[in-house]
Amino acid sequence: MDRERIERAVTEILRALGSDHINGEVADNTPRRVAATYAEFFKDIDRDPGDVLEVVYQEQYEEMIVMRGIPFHSICEHHLLPFIGTADVVYIPQDGRIVGASKLARAVDIAASRPQLQERLTQQIADALVRKLDPLGVLVRLQATHLCMTLRGVQKAGSSMVTSAIRGSFYRDPAQRAEALTLVS
């Protein structure tokens, strides 16, 4: 990440807003602060969310595993404003391959650490689980509030978007899918 380039770009944005509205402290320090914020938000931009799913345990368990309410935040690639929400992850292990609960949350964080669309983020999390765990089924559900929708444009405060990605047996078996959706609703 080129922090100096980000600082120059933010300096230009501040200038474009008009120097009459920007005090000296802001002009001097905000570009550095924004670059530091982006470095923090996007620290895992080059990582594959599946990287953290490499540590797999063998446990004779082939029922649904559900991790609900994983908080996340990402940046909308269309407006560079945050969207904030929770992720629910459900999978059915195959051949006893399970992963630690914290790894599911970490995979969500890594996938969210780049300019994103919620739809793509949902798919990336599900696909990482499929690639690394080869489970019988995966269901990922994200619910988020988009500041690009609540603070600007249509300004619909309180609205949220829900997306899901369904793989394997959850896709093929309506009863399994219904049970998984009930567990995350």
Side-chain angles (χ1 to χ4, degrees):
M1 185 172 306
D2 188 341
R3 287 174 72 157
E4 289 179 13
R5 191 171 180 188
I6 293 170
E7 286 184 39
R8 288 192 305 270
V10 172
T11 297
E12 282 303 309
I13 290 170
L14 292 173
R15 286 183 185 145
L17 291 174
S19 58
D20 295 346
H21 307 289
I22 307 298
N23 71 41
E25 191 280 330
V26 169
D28 292 343
N29 295 307
T30 295
R32 176 188 45 77
R33 288 190 290 255
V34 171
T37 298
Y38 280 4
E40 183 179 335
F41 278 177
F42 303 132
K43 69 182 179 294
D44 290 325
I45 195 168
D46 292 322
R47 285 189 72 190
D48 178 338
D51 288 350
V52 294
L53 302 173
E54 303 253 336
V55 178
V56 176
Y57 304 102
Q58 289 297 315
E59 185 65 39
Q60 291 311 306
Y61 188 83
E62 293 190 353
E63 303 295 327
M64 287 185 203
I65 295 173
V66 180
M67 177 63 70
R68 291 184 347 180
I70 303 166
F72 76 89
H73 63 272
S74 191
I75 302 293
C76 165
E77 70 181 29
H78 292 149
H79 301 100
L80 296 181
L81 288 171
F83 61 98
I84 302 162
T86 58
D88 302 317
V89 177
V90 184
Y91 73 99
I92 301 175
Q94 179 166 243
D95 299 326
R97 287 186 303 276
I98 63 169
V99 67
S102 67
K103 303 306 183 201
L104 298 173
R106 189 72 186 113
V108 171
D109 287 344
I110 292 169
S113 70
R114 60 206 73 196
Q116 273 288 15
L117 296 176
Q118 182 174 331
E119 297 88 343
R120 183 184 317 122
L121 174 59
T122 309
Q123 291 178 327
Q124 287 173 348
I125 297 164
D127 292 343
L129 285 159
V130 168
R131 256 190 348 271
K132 296 299 183 169
L133 298 179
D134 189 30
L136 295 172
V138 170
L139 185 143
V140 175
R141 179 185 175 273
L142 270 56
Q143 181 169 349
T145 298
H146 293 249
L147 271 62
C148 59
M149 173 130 171
T150 62
L151 297 179
R152 56 156 304 281
V154 297
Q155 299 182 0
K156 298 300 179 195
S159 63
S160 65
M161 184 163 75
V162 177
T163 52
S164 66
I166 302 168
R167 307 286 188 268
S169 62
F170 292 132
Y171 185 78
R172 292 185 302 273
D173 184 338
Q176 270 191 358
R177 181 172 51 249
E179 180 182 352
L181 287 169
T182 298
L183 291 171
V184 299
S185 295

